[in-house]
């Protein structure tokens, strides 16, 4: 995993060819964590660098999205934050009370009393958070109990991929990103909280092993140290 400089990497010929002046850079932060995990240097534009067939396979196999209508339905569903509402009891037990949950043993190990996720993040990213002006410690970590970014990040990925293969128009993609960004503003005070919220949501509802979770922490470590990535330049200001 290695990024390169503006002249030859993240903002390269692909960026110059497909950059859209109608897309404000700050909107491209939404989904950037997942996008970068799938393909390095992929979040500088609305259009993905992935092969079109690979994108279609991802949408078909991972999401059961096979056309424009499916994509829009999924985006609109995720914008309502179903994970926050449908798994409120589990989040309350594991994230707030720090207790084990019988139906989610991996999440209980990662997020509950043992707090393994915190120790992984602290080991790999603590200095990176400091460089970004965010004081990362265990009390601050435990205060983040909102997993909205688990849904928001996935919205950002679906938007980018659906646009790239022609299932969303540019206008539709930008409008959806604006809605997703507004949801992020309502739920988080800064991008570091947002990224940790995503990792907690992933560990709570999706990851099946410690290794799966740690892989995404390594991705976070990568993007936190790349100053050209947009979230470094556009602070997230919470709107109440």
């Amino acid at each position: 995993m290695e990024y390169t400089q503006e002249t030859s990497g993240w903002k390269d010929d692909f960026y110059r060819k497909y950059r859209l002046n109608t897309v404000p850079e700050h909107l491209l932060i939404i989904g950037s964590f997942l996008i970068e995990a799938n393909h390095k240097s992929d979040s500088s534009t609305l259009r993905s660098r992935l092969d079109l067939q690979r994108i279609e396979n991802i949408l078909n196999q991972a999401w059961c999205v096979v056309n424009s209508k499916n994509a829009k339905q999924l985006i609109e569903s995720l914008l309502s934050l179903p994970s926050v509402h449908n798994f409120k009891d589990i989040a309350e037990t594991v994230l707030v009370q720090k207790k084990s949950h019988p139906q989610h043993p991996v999440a209980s190990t990662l997020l509950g009393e043992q707090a393994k996720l915190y120790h992984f993040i602290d080991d790999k990213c603590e200095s990176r958070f400091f460089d970004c002006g965010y004081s990362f410690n265990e009390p601050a970590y435990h205060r983040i109990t909102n997993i909205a970014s688990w849904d928001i990040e996935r919205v950002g990925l679906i938007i980018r991929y659906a646009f790239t293969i022609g299932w969303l128009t540019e206008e539709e993609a930008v409008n959806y990103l604006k809605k997703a960004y507004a949801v992020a503003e309502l739920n988080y005070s800064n991008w570091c909280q947002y990224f940790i919220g995503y990792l907690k949501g992933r560990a709570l509802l999706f990851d099946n092993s410690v290794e799966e979770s740690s892989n995404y922490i390594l991705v976070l470590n990568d993007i936190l140290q790349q100053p050209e990535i947009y979230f470094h330049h556009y602070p997230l200001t919470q709107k109440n």
Side-chain angles (χ1 to χ4, degrees):
M1 299 179 181
E2 183 176 353
Y3 295 84
T4 49
Q5 298 302 313
E6 179 171 342
T7 55
S8 61
W10 201 65
K11 291 186 175 180
D12 57 5
D13 288 342
F14 185 94
Y15 166 82
R16 286 184 282 274
K17 181 177 181 180
Y18 292 111
R19 181 186 181 189
L20 296 173
N21 293 326
T22 57
V23 185
E25 288 182 341
H26 72 278
L27 296 181
L28 296 177
I29 301 169
I30 302 298
S32 61
F33 190 179
L34 267 178
I35 292 288
E36 291 290 313
N38 281 0
H39 194 285
K40 297 297 117 181
S41 303
D42 203 24
S43 66
S44 62
T45 65
L46 183 60
R47 185 178 299 275
S48 173
R49 298 166 187 249
L50 287 180
D51 175 81
L52 298 184
Q53 187 59 56
R54 184 178 173 190
I55 290 176
E56 190 165 352
N57 288 340
I58 291 172
L59 292 176
N60 292 173
Q61 295 171 15
W63 297 93
C64 298
V65 171
V66 298
N67 54 41
S68 175
K69 181 179 179 180
N70 289 162
K72 292 175 183 178
Q73 289 173 335
L74 178 58
I75 290 167
E76 289 164 4
S77 173
L78 289 172
L79 284 171
S80 70
L81 305 182
S83 296
V84 174
H85 302 300
N86 296 341
F87 299 97
K88 185 176 181 181
D89 177 65
I90 299 167
E92 174 73 19
T93 300
V94 178
L95 297 179
V96 179
Q97 300 176 18
K98 303 183 188 64
K99 295 181 179 179
S100 61
H101 194 288
Q103 296 177 350
H104 294 263
V106 174
S108 299
T109 299
L110 284 170
L111 297 164
E113 295 174 343
Q114 297 183 48
K116 284 192 174 183
L117 188 72
Y118 165 74
H119 295 296
F120 285 149
I121 297 173
D122 184 52
D123 180 56
K124 298 298 181 183
C125 303
E126 190 267 345
S127 63
R128 304 302 181 195
F129 282 128
F130 181 80
D131 292 341
C132 295
Y134 179 69
S135 179
F136 183 76
N137 53 48
E138 193 162 4
Y141 165 85
H142 283 304
R143 282 196 293 270
I144 300 169
T145 58
N146 189 336
I147 60 169
S149 50
W150 167 241
D151 289 331
I152 300 168
E153 270 298 282
R154 294 184 296 160
V155 166
L157 179 139
I158 298 298
I159 291 169
R160 304 279 255 283
Y161 285 177
F163 167 76
T164 300
I165 63 174
W167 290 350
L168 292 178
T169 67
E170 179 182 326
E171 181 180 8
E172 288 172 332
V174 171
N175 285 338
Y176 278 135
L177 283 174
K178 288 179 179 177
K179 292 178 181 179
Y181 195 96
V183 176
E185 288 181 306
L186 287 172
N187 284 275
Y188 298 98
S189 298
N190 57 65
W191 293 115
C192 292
Q193 289 182 353
Y194 175 90
F195 293 137
I196 294 171
Y198 171 83
L199 288 171
K200 285 190 172 185
R202 185 179 184 90
L204 189 70
L205 303 174
F206 188 78
D207 284 339
N208 294 311
S209 70
V210 171
E211 288 73 22
E212 288 182 22
S213 190
S214 62
N215 286 340
Y216 277 82
I217 295 169
L218 294 176
V219 173
L220 179 59
N221 179 60
D222 278 353
I223 67 174
L224 285 172
Q225 63 183 309
Q226 303 306 321
E228 66 270 32
I229 293 182
Y230 297 134
F231 78 85
H232 290 288
H233 305 283
Y234 300 96
L236 182 66
T237 302
Q238 188 171 45
K239 292 183 178 179
N240 295 315

